[in-house]
Amino acid sequence: MADFILNVNGAHVHVQAPFDESLLSVLRNRLHLTGTKYGCGEGQCGACTVLLDGEATRSCLVAVGSAANAKIITIEGLEHDGKLSAVQQAFLDEGAFQCGYCTAGMILSATGLLQRTPKPTAEQIVDAMNGNLCRCGTYPRIVAAIQRAAQSMPAKGANR
Amino acid sequence: MSLHDQSLPELARNISHGASRNIQLDRRDFLKILGGGLLVCLAPASAWVQESGRAFGGHELPKDVSAWLHIAAVGKVTVFTGKVEVGQNIRTSLAQQVAEELRVPFDSITMVMGDTDLTPWDMGTFGSRTTLTMGPQLRTMAAAARETLVQMAAERWQVNAATLTAANGKVIDSKQSRSFTYGELTHGEKLIKTVSGEEHLTPATEWKIAGTAVAKVDGRDFVTGAHKYPSDMILPEMQFGAVLRPDGFNAKLASLDTSAAEKLNGVRVVRDGDFVGVVAPDAYTAQHALTSIQANWNVPTQPSHEGLYEYLKSNPETADENGVQHVAGSVKEAMASVDIKLEHQYTVAYIAHAPLEPRAAVATWADGRLTVWTGTQRPFGVRDELMEAFKLNPAQVRVIQPDMGSGYGGKHTGEAAIEAARLAKSAGKPVKVIWTRQEEFTWAYFRPAGLIEIKAGVRRDGTLVAWEHHNYNSGPAAIATPYDVANQVIQYHPAKSPLRQGSYRGLAATANHFARESHMDTLAHSAGLDPLAFRLKNLTDTRLRAVLQAAADKFGWGRSKSTPDRGFGMACGTDKGGYVATCAEVHIDAATRKVTIHRIVEAWESGAIVNPDGLRNQVMGGIVQAIGGALFEQILFANGRILNAHFAQYRLPRFSDTPQIEVVLLDRKDLPSAGAGETGIVGLAPAVANAIFAATGTRLRNMPMAPAHDRQHESGTQFQS
């Protein structure tokens, strides 16, 4: 066990965990941030995606010890003052989910994409999102949601 | 919700004491705890019982109360049903139907679902039965509640009830320009009304809330991470459990050394026969403890995927009484006189449901009573499993199913629930068990593999006269042909499956449609007829003809000819009250033989549409999910071990596999609404097979049709995907 100060959703939180425990496990089981999902634990499904310093990252593959100096944003950290982020709002508007279990990872991956590429082409969306699985098969709506979010965001691509 | 949550379990215990199948409502208790208002119960209704007809796991539809609805003194409506929400959107579509009949705003309705203490017994959420059966049941109760409220208002005003109308949560007397809200009418009342399914229901042509694209209930919680799935449940003092898995199926434990695990801080090892599990204060330690256990297993020699189909054909399961046989005319005599005869074999592999949320459960014991939160399509079935495992009566077990990370027919069972309960009992604290992806791939169950043999005969003019269809192991769903054929032999042959198998979205309808529609396509080409014309020539079912024509029109069928690098194919079918036709445009790279599904048009009809947005989502999802089984999904196994139990080895459809999809919905407001979660999946595979044939002249008869390169020698395909 070691002590870490994590920067999660803009707050500094103290956590005790083994250095090599996955960030996913720490978020869910020690910090009770259960919006980030376990899907495979092997970086193959994207359900556990969070932003690490703005980069969409599979939290199941990151040891908590190596995330201690990064700014971590989870699905719980996208809403501000009761207002959904542009990507969250677009997923809601497009009805881009069925069971919704993949949704947090989809939204974080899409947020990472739009920060990097504010106006992505359809091909860029598929490339960036292809590591995220939706077993319910809502991919066309997710692509539509990302395109909608891209249109609704300021041209500079600032999405907090 | 406006109910007294804390009191509801008590209420339910009062209700469900005694015979579990024959709920004796203590009406005074019920209203005391609900705090007054109006309670409407759906009592025995011969219509529902007769309609159910067939048994599911030994249960008929309940012969006692099947649902209840409560209108509180403030006008808040709560509906109780044992059905569960797994992503198919029934929490929304059922509430729409209640709001419609009750004449209340949609958001005044709360659905309490899949909680064995709070909801009436229900056999489970599968078979596309919710819209077909639970929808009308809830509508009936809501209509009865509305009539009761109108009657109450009439009595207060001393007017004829026929002069009053109900709208927007009020009973209105338009002549006198006065109204009562429902809450004003139920305030201070303690009323119970029992109905039996005879109420007049609002025709779909007059629907204002049902039939519209109401957004998913609590949709915001799904984009903020606030929704709590079964695997998200957290209880005070909760521990984390993990279970030691055998080295293979049917293995016996030969030796075990748990000493290293037991030395870990806070770890408890639980052993009961061949069951070995660990409980730890955190998930990390639980996994660490599990991997530090040394175990040896004796795994018997078992069949593999090599030679599977011969195995299934030569190992009949005679104890299974599901063998369906349908005979009409004489296939033998008819075949003697036809001009074109075709006989072929088709196969489908075992595939995995792979719900993104694996099996998960949190169990807690208190005062001899067990409560489990788990992801299942059959909360009452899981309650039965827990009762049997721990020798408990129904009042001692509560199963709660939070809206879960889907199932697709793969979560009918309660493995994780039993494991969590077992570990929690030993630990004396609540325990959470979440299966790993590898566990979900290995220790759940599979969509059955199957071999299908079809023999058919057609006259030179394209008239289908003989049809023989044998399905080995995959199942009887949609095995009957919708085409007009005078001479038929159709039979399902249950087999001894080497792998644990069970339900899957659409069941065997996918396999039977793949074989039938591929065979029909081959017959059309052999007779020199266009595939659409050949189908229509042999089809009188007007609903199926309508979707076929609608899909063909939208697709532009016949406008372009297939070429070696671009093929067009179609397929159609019906099952579980849904009618589907699928047209596919497939591109084939000449150099790599890579198949790309470029465009899909699917026409769908399942009676009156309850929610067009939800329906469109289901049909589209079925198409995308079907791509996997059609092209590349396949469980590989040998000697009791799954060889590809990871997403890196078992490919699922991804963004890059998704074609342009156009869904055409036919809204038959004159017909009852049927379920739509399943049958939309059946058209894709044969439509793609037929498109590949149209382009290349190569007929692919084995699903998956374009598996990974190292699997191609077995499937006989040269195509990539």
Side-chain angles (χ1 to χ4, degrees):
Chain A
M1 287 283 184
D3 287 276
F4 301 100
I5 305 290
L6 297 181
N7 181 345
V8 183
N9 298 330
H12 291 275
V13 292
H14 170 248
V15 66
Q16 264 199 331
F19 185 91
D20 62 340
E21 182 166 345
S22 74
L23 177 60
L24 171 65
S25 177
V26 169
L27 289 171
R28 287 182 55 82
N29 301 322
R30 299 190 190 275
L31 299 177
H32 294 184
L33 291 170
T34 54
T36 307
K37 302 303 184 204
Y38 168 87
C40 68
E42 297 168 349
Q44 297 291 321
C45 76
C48 67
T49 304
V50 300
L51 295 182
L52 275 196
D53 291 329
E55 278 294 316
T57 305
R58 310 292 183 236
S59 65
C60 73
L61 296 182
V62 176
V64 63
S66 62
N69 295 316
K71 282 186 183 164
I72 303 162
I73 301 289
T74 72
I75 189 71
E76 290 91 347
L78 292 181
E79 186 182 352
H80 289 278
D81 304 325
K83 192 173 184 307
L84 299 178
S85 75
V87 178
Q88 287 175 308
Q89 188 62 50
F91 271 67
L92 195 54
D93 292 343
E94 290 288 338
F97 40 67
Q98 285 181 20
C99 79
Y101 194 80
C102 72
T103 305
M106 290 286 180
I107 287 175
L108 270 302
S109 287
T111 302
L113 164 68
L114 295 181
Q115 287 185 358
R116 212 169 52 241
T117 312
K119 302 289 174 197
T121 63
E123 194 178 14
Q124 285 173 317
I125 292 173
V126 169
D127 281 351
M129 301 298 294
N130 221 29
N132 288 69
L133 281 172
C134 171
R135 184 55 158 162
C136 298
T138 63
Y139 298 127
R141 289 187 176 203
I142 295 171
V143 171
I146 295 170
Q147 287 167 335
R148 178 192 278 254
Q151 280 171 9
S152 73
M153 283 159 63
K156 291 274 183 183
N159 187 37
R160 284 187 263 240
Chain B
M1 53 196 274
S2 62
L3 297 166
H4 311 292
D5 278 294
Q6 294 304 314
S7 305
L8 281 167
E10 180 199 336
L11 162 69
R13 276 201 298 283
N14 288 339
I15 292 166
S16 63
H17 269 313
S20 67
R21 286 293 133 58
N22 188 13
I23 293 173
Q24 298 298 319
L25 277 172
D26 185 323
R27 301 174 172 204
R28 280 163 305 177
D29 279 0
F30 208 126
L31 283 180
K32 192 171 80 187
I33 292 164
L34 287 168
L38 170 63
L39 177 73
V40 180
C41 301
L42 193 69
S46 54
W48 312 128
V49 176
Q50 284 169 9
E51 198 280 331
S52 77
R54 49 206 269 231
F56 286 97
H59 295 298
E60 290 291 330
L61 276 171
K63 292 180 175 61
D64 49 341
V65 172
S66 55
W68 50 67
L69 177 157
H70 179 250
I71 304 175
V74 291
K76 182 91 184 154
V77 181
T78 310
V79 181
F80 299 81
T81 166
K83 295 293 179 199
V84 298
E85 169 65 50
V86 302
Q88 82 284 41
N89 208 36
I90 61 168
R91 184 178 288 283
T92 305
S93 63
L94 289 176
Q96 281 180 267
Q97 295 177 75
V98 172
E100 181 67 52
E101 296 292 352
L102 198 50
R103 314 281 192 262
V104 296
F106 175 77
D107 58 10
S108 65
I109 301 209
T110 300
M111 301 290 299
V112 175
M113 305 175 75
D115 180 327
T116 62
D117 263 17
L118 303 186
T119 67
W121 182 85
D122 186 272
M123 65 182 160
T125 305
F126 51 84
S128 292
R129 317 252 333 141
T130 302
T131 300
L132 190 67
T133 61
M134 188 51 67
Q137 291 182 25
L138 297 187
R139 287 173 64 196
T140 297
M141 286 196 306
R146 184 191 72 221
E147 290 304 316
T148 302
L149 291 161
V150 168
Q151 197 61 46
M152 288 164 74
E155 283 166 19
R156 288 204 196 175
W157 284 323
Q158 295 289 307
V159 298
N160 182 348
T163 64
L164 306 178
T165 53
N168 203 27
K170 292 174 189 166
V171 179
I172 300 159
D173 180 353
S174 48
K175 280 185 188 165
Q176 304 288 331
S177 297
R178 58 187 173 178
S179 66
F180 281 123
T181 65
Y182 288 178
E184 285 168 342
L185 289 167
T186 55
H187 182 73
E189 297 283 355
K190 291 189 173 181
L191 287 173
I192 291 192
K193 183 173 172 62
T194 306
V195 291
S196 61
E198 305 301 323
E199 302 297 319
H200 170 72
L201 301 182
T202 308
T205 47
E206 295 170 21
W207 284 351
K208 295 180 178 70
I209 300 171
T212 67
V214 172
K216 184 180 174 78
V217 171
D218 300 332
R220 192 183 171 99
D221 289 349
F222 291 89
V223 300
T224 58
H227 175 71
K228 298 294 180 208
Y229 291 84
S231 54
D232 297 335
M233 298 307 301
I234 294 168
L235 295 181
E237 295 192 46
M238 187 179 78
Q239 308 281 295
F240 292 79
V243 176
L244 182 71
R245 301 296 172 190
D247 268 353
F249 303 128
N250 307 304
K252 291 281 168 222
L253 190 57
S255 70
L256 181 74
D257 178 0
T258 60
S259 54
E262 281 164 46
K263 289 192 188 103
L264 294 169
N265 213 1
V267 169
R268 168 190 292 263
V269 175
V270 179
R271 168 112 198 248
D272 179 8
D274 278 6
F275 174 87
V276 182
V278 298
V279 180
D282 63 84
Y284 178 92
T285 305
Q287 283 304 321
H288 183 46
L290 193 67
T291 52
S292 61
I293 291 176
Q294 303 291 319
N296 287 302
W297 300 85
N298 290 328
V299 186
T301 302
Q302 295 166 64
S304 83
H305 60 266
E306 309 256 7
L308 171 65
Y309 305 108
E310 295 78 7
Y311 180 92
L312 292 175
K313 192 174 177 182
S314 56
N315 283 275
E317 179 56 89
T318 48
D320 189 334
E321 292 170 1
N322 286 324
V324 172
Q325 191 178 27
H326 170 71
V327 180
S330 169
V331 168
K332 197 177 171 188
E333 283 175 27
M335 288 297 277
S337 65
V338 294
D339 303 298
I340 299 157
K341 296 176 194 175
L342 276 177
E343 187 169 354
H344 289 293
Q345 287 191 334
Y346 302 85
T347 65
V348 300
Y350 288 107
I351 63 175
H353 308 78
L356 208 52
E357 181 181 40
R359 279 164 168 68
V362 175
T364 184
W365 294 81
D367 306 324
R369 197 157 190 271
L370 170 64
T371 303
V372 181
W373 288 259
T374 191
T376 176
Q377 294 170 246
R378 297 177 62 244
F380 287 88
V382 173
R383 186 183 67 169
D384 288 348
E385 288 185 46
L386 291 165
M387 280 161 50
E388 190 181 334
F390 300 101
K391 307 292 174 235
L392 301 170
N393 65 48
Q396 292 173 298
V397 186
R398 181 182 186 185
V399 175
I400 303 168
Q401 202 276 158
D403 296 5
M404 68 180 177
S406 211
Y408 320 110
K411 287 182 181 166
H412 285 201
T413 47
E415 298 88 348
I418 292 173
E419 289 160 3
R422 208 167 189 173
L423 296 174
K425 192 172 188 184
S426 176
K429 288 179 179 172
V431 169
K432 175 187 279 195
V433 170
I434 301 179
W435 279 20
T436 64
R437 179 53 53 189
Q438 187 175 10
E439 286 178 297
E440 181 68 31
F441 261 120
T442 308
W443 298 99
Y445 54 86
F446 302 100
R447 197 269 318 259
L451 167 69
I452 296 173
E453 295 175 337
I454 298 182
K455 180 163 72 176
V458 172
R459 285 200 208 107
R460 200 176 312 283
D461 70 350
T463 307
L464 184 61
V465 293
W467 187 266
E468 188 164 347
H469 179 137
H470 295 274
N471 177 314
Y472 296 89
N473 190 63
S474 108
I479 195 170
T481 177
Y483 297 102
D484 310 323
V485 199
N487 304 289
Q488 305 184 12
V489 174
I490 294 172
Q491 188 162 9
Y492 162 52
H493 307 263
K496 288 185 170 67
S497 170
L499 297 184
R500 188 182 178 209
Q501 61 185 21
S503 183
Y504 185 96
R505 189 179 201 169
L507 301 165
T510 292
N512 286 319
H513 275 98
F514 173 65
R516 178 166 55 243
E517 286 297 293
S518 295
H519 212 75
M520 288 295 289
D521 197 71
T522 313
L523 289 169
H525 285 283
S526 301
L529 288 173
D530 174 79
L532 174 62
F534 175 67
R535 282 176 173 80
L536 292 173
K537 182 177 175 63
N538 292 288
L539 187 63
T540 49
D541 183 327
T542 54
R543 294 176 74 178
L544 192 50
R545 287 178 69 95
V547 287
L548 197 50
Q549 199 62 60
D553 289 349
K554 177 79 173 179
F555 187 73
W557 183 261
R559 217 174 283 159
S560 308
K561 288 263 175 272
S562 294
T563 57
D565 60 355
R566 192 174 69 148
F568 306 104
M570 67 161 48
C572 67
T574 175
D575 192 35
K576 300 183 178 73
Y579 292 79
V580 62
T582 311
C583 294
E585 177 181 339
V586 169
H587 292 182
I588 294 143
D589 186 288
T592 64
R593 308 285 276 172
K594 180 177 159 58
V595 173
T596 304
I597 306 174
H598 180 74
R599 180 182 177 223
I600 295 292
V601 171
E602 185 158 298
W604 174 264
E605 188 259 293
S606 51
I609 296 173
V610 178
N611 184 323
D613 185 63
L615 178 57
R616 205 170 281 281
N617 208 355
Q618 284 302 304
V619 174
M620 183 184 68
I623 292 166
V624 173
Q625 189 162 25
I627 292 169
L631 292 184
F632 41 73
E633 281 185 46
Q634 177 178 17
I635 284 290
L636 306 176
F637 63 100
N639 268 328
R641 296 182 180 95
I642 301 302
L643 306 179
N644 55 343
H646 301 271
F647 283 147
Q649 300 161 333
Y650 184 97
R651 179 175 165 194
L652 296 183
R654 290 183 182 267
F655 280 92
S656 56
D657 299 307
T658 307
Q660 178 189 332
I661 297 173
E662 294 153 65
V663 174
V664 182
L665 299 180
L666 305 187
D667 190 6
R668 287 291 302 271
K669 291 186 189 297
D670 56 321
L671 293 172
S673 309
E678 299 187 81
T679 303
I681 200 171
V682 305
L684 181 113
V688 167
N690 296 342
I692 292 171
F693 177 82
T696 65
T698 301
R699 175 59 66 181
L700 300 178
R701 297 190 180 90
N702 307 300
M703 285 172 65
M705 293 184 276
H709 191 67
D710 59 350
R711 304 282 324 139
Q712 295 195 342
H713 67 284
E714 277 173 38
S715 60
T717 180
Q718 305 148 357
F719 293 96
Q720 317 278 332
S721 58

